[in-house]
Structures are given as C-alpha cells and as structure tokens.
Amino acid sequence: MAPEHGGRVRAAARRYGIPASAWLDLSTGINPDAWRVPPLPQDLWQSLPETDDDLEDAARSFYGTNFLLPVAGSQAAIQSLPALRKTGSVMLAGLCYAEHELAWTRYGHSVIHVSDEELLQGDADVVVVVNPNNPTGKLYGVDELLDLHGRLVRKGGLLIVDEAFMDSTPEHSLARFCPMEGLVVLRSLGKFFGLAGARVGFVLASDNNLERVSERLGPWPIATPSRHVATLALCDTAWHGTARRFLREASQRLDDLLSRHGLSPSGGSRFFQWVRCENAGDLHGHFATQGILTRLYGEPASLRFGLPSLEENWSRLDAALCGMKR
C-alpha cells in the first residue's frame, strides 16, 4: 500500500463537498511564499534537456559542492538508492518520510525502526536520517552526523541524509562535506523554493554513486523548463535571504498561534509545526469541515500544520482553532 502524503486537495474536496479552490492546504510543509516563476521562453517546450546548461553550476554554488547529480525530485533518488546496495539492514526513525521505508523494503532490505535519538547510535548497514525530520522536526547537528558517518563507513556502511527541509538552515547541512565515501545527501527544490511541481532535486555523493544513480535513471530525468526554472531560482541569492527570514518568522508565529489555542507543538521546523494529541483524527475532521487541510498521523496520533501565507489565511486558521471543541 502506498504511503499517505500531504496534498490531495481534490480528494478532500470530494469527501467534504467543498470546492478545491476554496481549500487552505496546510498539509504539505511547502513554503507558501514560493519563488515566483517568470514567463518561460516558448522554445523551452520544444527542446530536449541538455546537461551542459547552467543548472549544475548553479547547484554547485548553492550547495557548496562540485559533486552532485540533478534528479526528478529527491523522490527519484529515494527509489533508486536501495537497488545499489546488496540486501542488508536499514535503520530509520520510527516516524519519518514514509517513502524511505517503502523503497528499501521493496528491494528486500530489512528495516529497523528506532527513535530520533537512537538513530545517532545506528548499528546497521545503512542509516537513513531525515534532517530536519519530517514530521517531528528533530534537527541533528553536523558533528553528530559526522560521528555517525565515521562509525558506519569504518564497517562499509552507508549514511543517507535526506535534507529536503534543510535550505532554511544551511549551516546544519552536510552538503559541504560531499564527497565522502559512505555518505549520500539528498536535496530538493520543492520545500524551500515552493517548486514542488517542477520535480527537481539533487543527489550529493561520490562520483561512483552518482554514476550508478544516473545509470538507473537514464537520460533526461528533468524536463527542460524545470531545469531553466531551477537554475534561475538557485541563482536568486537576494530571494534566498528574504525567504529564510520569512520562514523563521512564520514558523514562530504558527507555534505561538497553536500554543495560544492549547495545541502546543511537540516539534517542528521552519516549514511546519507538529502537534501530538489523542484527538488528532477529530481535529483533522474539524479543520476539514472549515476547508483547512492538515496532515494526519495515526501513530502517534498527531497533526502537522504547514504555514499559512496571506493574512486572511492566518485569520482563517485562527477562527478554526477558536471553533475547536474543548
């Protein structure tokens, strides 16, 4: 069975009888103040992707490493990496991005679930760390992860760090340490830049691992228009700073708003807040009847709230919180 994800506004619209255009989608954790895509030259739609454009150079500058491979979102890498290792043990946080477990089990690997804290002591052939974790928001320090990597690589292991939500806090990234044997870092333009629909991500790793991933994906993994848009976004340094300030302030504002209504977050990141509560299912339904989509988790019972954008949406969430049953 495919894992649940955020989004799926159309399905919510059908279930609750509210037009899709009327929904406030807080379920995805995507920057609501996305990088603005300019009008695109028509010839981009007639051209096959070329790997000698400016995308790789823009990404190398942004991530601080020369060793990377553009892929169709980090999801493409998540699905490819398990095929490159012989069957073994893979350690994951008990609650994290569900596609990692699905990908490794599909190729016959044995997945071990541990707590966020126990993950740093990982004793497995492969350890996958989502940093910051989704949805708990656990942020691992650079030195902690380098210590874990050192222990793994000494026994031929592999550390994979999924940094899909890292762009707002780049000082915590392992990107600048790539390439290191036994280390793979995944990045994505979907969250920070708000360009989830472009399907652009990067694998940061040694040349050997990059070549093997590239062979599995084949030619033209990213469409020409997406390569063009990603290049422009990665080069827009002024916007990067503005976006980081916006995300820091909006995340704190969301924490304050939820806490004021008795839903103090149990964790979170610059992109979302995560609330553990026994009545998460009822609350999810309550917000849905107001046309507000949250991300529901069953174990532990919890909700993830993404960031509203416009002031009217903050007010709308505030009103729905006021209407909760106590």
Side-chain angles (χ1 to χ4, degrees):
M1 180 182 296
E4 290 286 333
H5 296 293
R8 295 176 53 83
V9 172
R10 292 177 184 272
R14 290 191 297 269
R15 178 176 179 183
Y16 291 95
I18 300 172
S21 60
W23 282 81
L24 171 58
D25 185 6
L26 303 181
S27 69
T28 64
I30 293 171
N31 182 355
D33 192 15
W35 187 82
R36 304 302 180 193
V37 178
L40 300 183
Q42 180 62 29
D43 62 355
L44 292 177
W45 301 99
Q46 279 77 51
S47 303
L48 283 172
E50 298 187 40
T51 57
D52 59 352
D53 59 11
D54 296 324
L55 175 59
E56 279 84 350
D57 285 341
R60 290 177 186 123
S61 178
F62 184 78
Y63 295 120
T65 178
N66 291 327
F67 295 81
L68 52 79
L69 174 72
V71 294
S74 52
Q75 180 64 36
I78 289 170
Q79 294 177 198
S80 300
L81 289 170
L84 307 183
R85 300 269 310 180
K86 66 179 182 180
T87 304
S89 58
V90 180
M91 187 168 288
L92 290 162
L95 183 59
C96 70
Y97 184 55
E99 291 290 342
H100 287 290
E101 177 180 8
L102 180 65
W104 288 95
T105 54
R106 180 179 288 139
Y107 283 90
H109 298 269
S110 176
V111 172
I112 305 165
H113 291 288
V114 297
S115 68
D116 285 349
E117 291 71 24
E118 291 170 329
L119 197 60
L120 290 173
Q121 308 305 318
D123 184 15
D125 299 307
V126 177
V127 176
V128 180
V129 178
V130 182
N131 193 35
N133 194 20
N134 171 24
T136 67
K138 169 67 176 178
L139 183 62
Y140 299 89
V142 169
D143 290 341
E144 293 177 314
L145 292 177
L146 291 178
D147 286 345
L148 172 59
H149 167 262
R151 285 187 282 106
L152 289 172
V153 78
R154 282 193 290 272
K155 64 172 191 173
L158 176 67
L159 173 63
I160 299 174
V161 186
D162 180 349
E163 296 186 346
F165 289 98
M166 184 59 78
D167 289 322
S168 63
T169 52
E171 65 274 15
H172 295 287
S173 172
L174 292 191
R176 65 187 182 275
F177 297 98
C178 294
M180 292 177 68
E181 190 61 38
L183 174 65
V184 174
V185 175
L186 307 180
R187 298 296 285 263
S188 170
L189 267 66
K191 307 302 184 183
F192 177 69
F193 292 94
L195 297 175
R199 307 310 305 141
V200 179
F202 295 89
V203 182
L204 285 56
S206 63
D207 275 338
N208 177 54
N209 281 323
L210 295 181
E211 289 172 5
R212 295 173 72 197
V213 172
S214 181
E215 288 173 0
R216 287 197 60 83
L217 296 178
W220 312 309
I222 303 176
T224 304
S226 291
R227 291 183 68 96
H228 177 80
V229 168
T231 301
L232 295 178
L234 288 165
C235 291
D236 193 348
T237 55
W239 184 89
H240 302 161
T242 300
R244 289 181 178 122
R245 287 191 295 274
F246 164 77
L247 290 167
R248 180 179 65 251
E249 294 168 2
S251 176
Q252 185 60 57
R253 181 178 179 181
L254 181 58
D255 187 326
D256 294 342
L257 176 61
L258 294 170
S259 298
R260 191 162 65 247
H261 288 281
L263 294 179
S264 297
S266 304
S269 75
R270 298 284 171 85
F271 298 86
F272 56 81
Q273 295 295 340
W274 178 61
V275 178
R276 292 186 62 170
C277 47
E278 294 182 358
N279 61 337
D282 292 337
L283 289 176
H284 176 77
H286 163 73
F287 291 118
T289 62
Q290 312 299 307
I292 299 175
L293 189 58
T294 57
R295 175 70 168 91
L296 174 65
Y297 295 87
E299 184 58 43
S302 52
L303 291 176
R304 189 187 67 194
F305 293 81
L307 304 176
S309 52
L310 305 174
E311 281 301 317
E312 62 192 60
N313 291 328
W314 284 97
S315 297
R316 185 174 170 185
L317 176 58
D318 193 4
L321 288 164
C322 287
M324 293 186 303
K325 290 183 180 180
R326 303 296 176 176

